[in-house]
Amino acid sequence: MSLTTDFIAELIRAANEADRLTPFEVKRLLNRSVATIREMREQTGVPGSYRVKDVVIDLQVAAARADALPANEIRDNLLDAADIIRTLKIILDGKPS
């Protein structure tokens, strides 16, 4: 498995255990997700959006509020991050070298 695939699996596992994660773990996972998504967007040429509905902005807000997020919002944010990263990985895997 690739590092990206491993990270996607880590996000999904964490989402399934959202009620057991510490705020530090949530913040770390969400911040890693933001960095990964930005890097992958750059590699794919898929631009980010500076509008209110960009998932990166949502993830950054969630990371900043990690100590106050209920388990269901933690789960949703981690699954959103995994979904975006998986989609970007599919795009990257399909790009000619």
Side-chain angles (χ1 to χ4, degrees):
M1 281 210 278
S2 73
L3 291 175
T4 304
T5 305
D6 290 343
F7 184 46
I8 293 167
E10 182 180 355
L11 289 169
I12 292 169
R13 273 192 306 276
N16 288 330
E17 299 175 348
D19 57 331
R20 291 184 243 155
L21 298 174
T22 67
F24 176 79
E25 291 170 316
V26 173
K27 188 176 289 198
R28 182 184 58 82
L29 286 167
L30 293 175
N31 285 330
R32 278 180 60 200
S33 297
V34 167
T36 301
I37 291 167
R38 284 186 173 150
E39 182 181 317
M40 292 178 82
R41 280 180 173 174
E42 188 175 307
Q43 291 173 8
T44 61
V46 174
S49 171
Y50 297 101
R51 299 176 348 164
V52 176
K53 290 311 287 175
D54 187 0
V55 70
V56 170
I57 294 170
D58 293 342
L59 295 174
Q60 287 175 313
V61 169
R65 297 182 51 233
D67 56 341
L69 287 178
N72 65 321
E73 286 186 40
I74 292 169
R75 183 194 67 240
D76 291 348
N77 280 289
L78 293 172
L79 291 176
D80 286 348
D83 184 47
I84 296 297
I85 293 168
R86 181 177 35 246
T87 300
L88 289 167
K89 182 179 180 344
I90 290 167
I91 293 169
L92 276 173
D93 288 349
K95 271 185 102 170
S97 300

